[in-house]
């Protein structure tokens, strides 16, 4: 990614977690002759006829298809991005399943490289979920919501879906996220504040779920998860990502 001209910048997590769009530009640089690209992350699932789905997106002349998020003040990352995308220019999208035209990817890669070249002028480095949607809107490219093509009722960041529980519909398109194996499923539950803080309540959802996996989680892991969530909450209160 660095050799392609993209900055080694991220505010939380890791380079490719924060800049998930970087990998899209790498793919386009290696296989540049496609008119359209569809990306599906490892923990996302498309149920339905993929050929029909792509045909419908292409017929709509979409430049970008994703699930829009409300980027208003209630969005956690809103306040961090207002210096980059002020006066109503901020947009956001959940890009675990995302469709791009060639011109959209080319434009976005150029914008990331331009920002990378002037990295010292950028205070807060924009999260991929904010960067892609905001830059698509600013360039007047066609952004079509994923919901146009199917059911997104179970397409979010939480709660997770255990892969062995997954039952795919027989017709239409359904978009699912996150679909996780047992280890990642349990880890996801433990990371969520509203699960962990209620663990010690009798009959809590976390207790019920963990009973499905006897011996999979120790009491030490539970305490550690609770401490990590408390520390993260403190960072949020202090205004740090």
């Amino acid at each position: 990614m660095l050799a392609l001209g993209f900055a080694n910048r991220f505010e939380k997590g890791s380079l490719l977690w924060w800049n998930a769009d970087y990998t899209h530009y790498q793919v386009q640089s290696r296989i540049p002759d496609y008119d359209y690209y569809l990306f599906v992350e490892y923990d996302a699932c498309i149920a339905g006829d993929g050929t029909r789905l792509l045909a419908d997106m292409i017929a709509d002349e979409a430049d970008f298809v994703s699930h829009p998020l409300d980027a208003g003040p209630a969005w956690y990352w809103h306040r961090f991005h207002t210096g980059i995308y002020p006066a109503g220019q901020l947009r956001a999208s959940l890009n675990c399943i995302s469709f791009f035209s060639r011109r959209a990817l080319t434009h976005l890669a150029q914008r990331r490289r331009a920002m990378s070249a002037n990295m010292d002028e950028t205070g807060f480095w924009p999260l991929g979920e904010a960067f892609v949607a905001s830059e698509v809107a600013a360039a007047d490219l066609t952004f079509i919501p994923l919901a146009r093509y199917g059911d997104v009722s179970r397409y979010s960041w939480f709660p997770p879906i255990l892969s062995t529980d997954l039952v795919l519909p027989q017709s239409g398109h359904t978009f699912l996220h996150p679909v996780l194996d047992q280890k990642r499923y349990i880890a996801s539950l433990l990371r969520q504040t509203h699960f962990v803080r209620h663990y010690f309540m009798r009959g809590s959802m976390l207790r019920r779920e963990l009973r499905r996996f006897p011996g999979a989680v120790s009491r030490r892991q539970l305490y550690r998860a609770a401490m990590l969530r408390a520390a993260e909450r403190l960072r949020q209160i202090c205004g740090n990502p």
Side-chain angles (χ1 to χ4, degrees), residues 4-133:
L4 288 173
F6 301 115
N8 186 14
R9 283 285 306 271
F10 57 95
E11 305 295 347
K12 184 178 179 180
S14 63
L15 181 69
L16 296 184
W17 181 85
W18 187 263
N19 304 288
D21 54 305
Y22 275 16
T23 58
H24 304 342
Y25 316 137
Q26 182 198 36
V27 168
Q28 188 188 30
S29 73
R30 292 188 176 185
I31 47 173
D33 297 329
Y34 285 96
D35 293 322
Y36 299 96
Y37 298 79
L38 176 66
F39 297 96
V40 184
E41 294 184 3
Y42 79 92
D43 58 350
C45 178
I46 299 175
D49 184 340
T51 301
R52 173 63 186 275
L53 176 66
L54 283 170
D56 289 345
M57 292 176 175
I58 293 169
D60 287 339
E61 298 184 348
D63 287 305
F64 178 51
V65 177
S66 186
H67 185 55
L69 300 173
D70 183 352
W75 189 44
Y76 174 73
W77 297 110
H78 173 89
R79 67 186 185 276
F80 299 103
H81 287 88
T82 52
I84 307 167
Y85 301 111
Q89 297 175 22
L90 178 62
R91 302 288 188 275
S93 56
L94 183 61
N95 302 331
C96 313
I97 297 171
S98 52
F99 170 94
F100 297 86
S101 68
R102 181 195 303 174
R103 68 172 181 168
L105 275 185
T106 300
H107 172 74
L108 292 168
Q110 289 172 345
R111 288 290 299 131
R112 276 294 201 193
R113 286 193 178 95
M115 293 176 67
S116 298
N118 298 287
M119 188 170 55
D120 294 339
E121 299 176 10
T122 304
F124 188 85
W125 190 256
L127 173 68
E129 291 181 351
F131 170 81
V132 173

